[in-house]
Amino acid sequence: MTQSVDRNRRRLLGFMAGAPLLPLAGGLASLGTSTSAFAESEATVTSVKFLPMAAPSLSNPAAMATTTIGSAMQLKMSDGTSRQVKLAYHPFFITGDRVPDGKGDTVVAGGYYDIDNQPILDPTAGNRQFFSDCPDGTSLLTVENPQVEGVYGNPVFAVVQFEYTTRNGAEEGMYGQLPSPIAVLTLDQNPETGELSLVKYHNVDTSPVNGLWITCGASLSPWGTHLSSEEYEPDAAAPDDTFKSFCRHLFGDESRGNPYDYGHLPEVTVNPDGSGTLVKHYNMGRISHELIQVMPDERTVLMGDDATNGGLFVLVADKPRDLSSGTLYVGKWTQVSGQGPGAGDISWIRLGHASSAEIKAMIDEGIQAADIMDIRTEDPNDDSFTRIPFSGKVNWVKLQPGMEKAAAFLETHRYAALMGASMGFTKMEGTTVNAADKKAYSAMSYVYKSMTDGSSDIHVEGPAAGAVYEHTLRGGQKDSDGQPIDSEWMSVHMAVPPNLIGEDLAEADALGNTAHAERIANPDNIKYSEALRTLFIGEDSGNHVNNFLWAYNVDSGDLTRLLSCPAGAESTGLQAVDAINGWTYIMSNFQHPGDWDSPLHDKVRDTLDPYVRANYKDRFGAAVGYITGMPKLS
């Protein structure tokens, strides 16, 4: 493990293409440059520090209405010199663009398709194909023996998923009403500069798994597959109008879909021809999957659960590199501090063991919520029922005889609460791991509601602007029944480092921010770079007028603003890639630009709205891309 981490650090940083880039000789790795002086120098990079940018202001509305980067990297070299590298943003496309399909034609980037892989059309917008303004989870990767025409350098692939679309042509809300598309991008990597160019866009066929439901964050598995997500699982006890609309668009029939088909963990394998193959794992808990992290043992999976009354979940797979069978655990928080976002020791409750095939068979055989649990939303005044929190409300539940396994994997939130888990977390989003230090990180987008109201084991102060919790990871743990847990990567303690906490403001500032603009607010996507010793944090904030992408150095504690998203947009698609063919990348998307909230955007909306509409297809488009390096000698 240590050797692998050290090797990554030595190979560090072919930092990001877009402008002409050349590799450094030796050192931490290749770092992009626009001058051959870097390539000719024998000096190597010994350390990297990010230099911050200021938040854009209304004096420059164009900067507030697009992706803005004014940050840089400071390189210390082995010969005692230092150099600066300016950063910039390079999009592959804006959703809604027509992009090459690799067959001599074009397709709509982020376009939606039904169960028969036919475009879903928007009758309120002249029957144009629906396309997403919400690109999210992205995985940059390589495969063995790639065979894609039109690539002249190194073939590289990116899997990109699209969470939802904000509106239709009539400006009506469309959240969750369309089946989420997922695409494989074939990219041509310039071997001399690291620059990535789009060659082919392939829409992955999701029909074998009955489509995808609200794909949010994602991660790259240690074995090179894209681990997707299905967020806010539809309630099988009471399917709502959103789910019915989803089924109508996907199947052409709102009664055809089964809620139990959704809320699972999709995995995409990229094929040598630039296509993708999709499976779902039905044995990882039916929760609000946001962004999972597979630990270095390639078996232990820490899972974000983006819900009110969510939990901390772990799957310990039976075999490395195979998530299709394993044991599911949920955390129990024993509070050791209630100050601010608090701190707690973590123990583990075993929910059950299952294979994906077992749970899928239950679904296919037509199991219903009432077969698993008697679920009431009003107090039945019956002691055989247990009062539990569920999605910000209260349920009373009674397990049907012999249905423990079905409950654990299909009614996971309710069953975990019934088993005594700490179901008080709110919007636990991205997760990532720092393997060298045996730490993990979980973004808690908002620390409020069930974390602060005293209704659960977790009773802390806040802030509503959220925090990133650091996990201490250890082996040798036992579950609540005293049985050994077969993993060396279980969380035993959660606490928040000083610079990874938001700061609520008593009154909005001059721009409208309700959280301090020099601190993180509502962290969502997070990814850790072993090579850079840096945690990258993307915001999904209802408290910052512009959402930001930050870099946090785990050794110095320095927090640096790297990028500002268009006003009203969320920072998504984050991935820190330590080395692909010697180059390092930070993947970065954003979604729903100009999604105006009141009163947050009241002071800027009238000024910024025309800019955002001009930049992003009248607010129907959003960008998929990556951060690039544009260096200069200091």
Side-chain angles (χ1 to χ4, degrees):
M1 178 57 56
T2 302
Q3 290 178 350
S4 175
V5 172
D6 288 345
R7 183 167 60 252
N8 281 337
R9 293 195 72 188
R10 289 196 301 270
R11 292 189 309 178
L12 181 67
L13 204 63
F15 215 108
M16 299 147 218
L21 304 177
L22 292 172
L24 282 172
L28 288 170
S30 311
L31 185 120
T33 173
S34 58
T35 169
S36 60
F38 277 85
E40 294 170 357
S41 171
E42 293 184 1
T44 58
V45 180
T46 59
S47 67
V48 173
K49 179 181 179 180
F50 287 98
L51 304 178
M53 62 172 282
S57 70
L58 204 54
S59 64
N60 187 355
M64 294 187 70
T66 190
T67 301
T68 301
I69 298 185
S71 54
M73 295 191 315
Q74 184 80 35
L75 312 178
K76 289 188 177 180
M77 311 301 292
S78 60
D79 62 2
T81 63
S82 64
R83 298 165 182 173
Q84 280 190 16
V85 179
K86 290 185 177 180
L87 303 180
Y89 184 69
H90 177 73
F92 297 125
F93 53 76
I94 304 298
T95 57
D97 286 351
R98 297 205 68 92
V99 292
D101 67 355
K103 302 176 183 177
D105 203 350
T106 60
V107 292
V108 175
Y112 286 89
Y113 296 87
D114 66 16
I115 197 67
D116 297 315
N117 289 304
Q118 296 302 305
I120 302 176
L121 305 181
D122 182 358
T124 68
N127 278 330
R128 76 180 180 192
Q129 184 178 4
F130 273 111
F131 58 88
S132 176
D133 64 341
C134 294
D136 207 310
T138 299
S139 294
L140 192 70
L141 55 91
T142 58
V143 301
E144 292 185 3
N145 302 315
Q147 299 174 357
V148 184
E149 293 184 0
V151 177
Y152 301 99
N154 299 320
V156 177
F157 303 94
V159 184
V160 182
Q161 59 197 44
F162 300 88
E163 185 176 3
Y164 59 96
T165 192
T166 305
R167 63 187 67 83
N168 64 10
E171 297 287 318
E172 295 174 354
M174 292 294 293
Y175 180 84
Q177 297 182 42
L178 297 169
S180 293
I182 192 164
V184 177
L185 313 184
T186 298
L187 306 170
D188 190 345
Q189 183 192 49
N190 186 318
E192 300 300 323
T193 68
E195 181 178 1
L196 301 174
S197 303
L198 179 64
V199 171
K200 174 184 174 181
Y201 180 105
H202 171 80
N203 188 70
V204 175
D205 180 8
T206 66
S207 62
V209 297
N210 291 308
L212 297 178
W213 167 267
I214 311 179
T215 55
C216 194
S219 64
L220 181 67
S221 74
W223 51 95
T225 58
H226 175 86
L227 301 176
S228 180
S229 56
E230 290 187 308
E231 188 177 55
Y232 304 129
E233 77 281 10
D235 186 358
D240 62 13
D241 289 341
T242 298
F243 183 69
K244 293 175 183 178
S245 182
F246 169 87
C247 294
R248 186 170 62 252
H249 285 104
L250 176 59
F251 299 112
D253 181 352
E254 69 177 30
S255 66
R256 181 174 164 187
N258 183 345
Y260 283 138
D261 275 323
Y262 309 101
H264 303 287
L265 200 291
E267 181 174 13
V268 177
T269 300
V270 176
N271 302 315
D273 65 354
S275 63
T277 302
L278 175 68
V279 298
K280 275 187 191 178
H281 299 296
Y282 298 88
N283 59 305
M284 299 184 68
R286 190 167 165 270
I287 61 175
S288 188
H289 287 288
E290 164 77 16
L291 170 56
I292 74 168
Q293 177 65 54
V294 180
M295 296 298 164
D297 64 355
E298 301 185 345
R299 295 177 55 242
T300 305
V301 186
L302 181 66
M303 294 184 270
D305 182 22
D306 184 7
T308 300
N309 297 117
L312 179 66
F313 292 90
V314 162
L315 179 85
V316 180
D318 293 339
K319 297 185 294 185
R321 300 190 167 207
D322 181 358
L323 302 181
S324 67
S325 181
T327 303
L328 183 65
Y329 298 90
V330 64
K332 180 77 172 176
W333 164 286
T334 300
Q335 190 154 299
V336 296
S337 171
Q339 184 176 2
D345 292 333
I346 305 298
S347 56
W348 294 95
I349 298 169
R350 185 184 188 273
L351 295 181
H353 177 278
S355 70
S356 181
E358 284 181 273
I359 306 306
K360 184 63 165 64
M362 293 181 187
I363 299 169
D364 292 344
E365 289 166 4
I367 195 169
Q368 302 292 311
D371 299 328
I372 302 172
M373 285 181 170
D374 190 344
I375 302 167
R376 309 288 181 89
T377 57
E378 295 183 0
D379 189 348
N381 295 311
D382 181 339
D383 290 343
S384 66
F385 283 79
T386 301
R387 185 181 190 272
I388 63 165
F390 179 76
S391 193
K393 301 176 183 177
V394 175
N395 282 184
W396 288 262
V397 301
K398 180 169 63 174
L399 186 67
Q400 303 289 17
M403 299 305 289
E404 288 83 2
K405 181 172 287 190
F409 294 95
L410 292 177
E411 289 292 340
T412 309
H413 277 133
R414 290 182 170 109
Y415 186 66
L418 188 62
M419 293 292 287
S422 296
M423 303 299 288
F425 294 105
T426 57
K427 296 190 69 62
M428 186 188 300
E429 308 225 25
T431 58
T432 191
V433 65
N434 168 355
D437 297 341
K438 213 161 186 182
K439 302 286 188 181
Y441 306 94
S442 290
M444 207 72 64
S445 187
Y446 289 79
V447 180
Y448 68 169
K449 294 184 178 178
S450 59
M451 293 187 74
T452 59
D453 64 10
S455 63
S456 75
D457 301 331
I458 307 160
H459 190 195
V460 300
E461 295 174 336
V468 176
Y469 286 78
E470 182 181 80
H471 298 264
T472 301
L473 304 175
R474 289 182 190 157
Q477 303 305 299
K478 294 183 178 181
D479 65 24
S480 54
D481 294 327
Q483 298 301 308
I485 299 175
D486 185 18
S487 171
E488 296 297 313
W489 297 89
M490 301 297 289
S491 175
V492 298
H493 184 74
M494 291 174 64
V496 176
N499 277 351
L500 293 184
I501 178 173
E503 182 180 334
D504 299 334
L505 298 178
E507 296 182 359
D509 66 15
L511 199 60
N513 294 304
T514 54
H516 200 300
E518 299 305 313
R519 302 189 67 86
I520 62 170
N522 310 114
D524 188 330
N525 276 209
I526 58 173
K527 291 292 172 67
Y528 182 75
S529 168
E530 297 281 355
L532 292 169
R533 299 281 295 165
T534 296
L535 177 67
F536 295 96
I537 305 164
E539 296 181 338
D540 176 13
S541 177
N543 294 291
H544 279 170
V545 172
N546 287 85
N547 282 319
F548 306 122
L549 174 63
W550 301 87
Y552 170 79
N553 185 282
V554 297
D555 296 317
S556 68
D558 290 342
L559 181 69
T560 304
R561 184 190 288 109
L562 297 184
L563 174 151
S564 174
C565 296
E570 170 188 347
S571 175
T572 63
L574 179 62
Q575 183 195 16
V577 186
D578 282 345
I580 286 187
N581 300 317
W583 298 93
T584 294
Y585 299 89
I586 297 176
M587 311 307 292
S588 181
N589 308 331
F590 64 80
Q591 58 180 228
H592 54 71
D595 188 15
W596 307 120
D597 286 333
S598 183
L600 177 66
H601 294 110
D602 287 354
K603 297 177 181 179
V604 302
R605 176 174 179 168
D606 289 347
T607 300
L608 299 185
D609 189 66
Y611 287 89
V612 173
R613 289 181 181 273
N615 290 338
Y616 302 113
K617 295 182 168 62
D618 203 25
R619 297 191 305 144
F620 284 92
V624 172
Y626 65 110
I627 296 175
T628 73
M630 298 178 63
K632 66 177 182 179
L633 296 177
S634 61

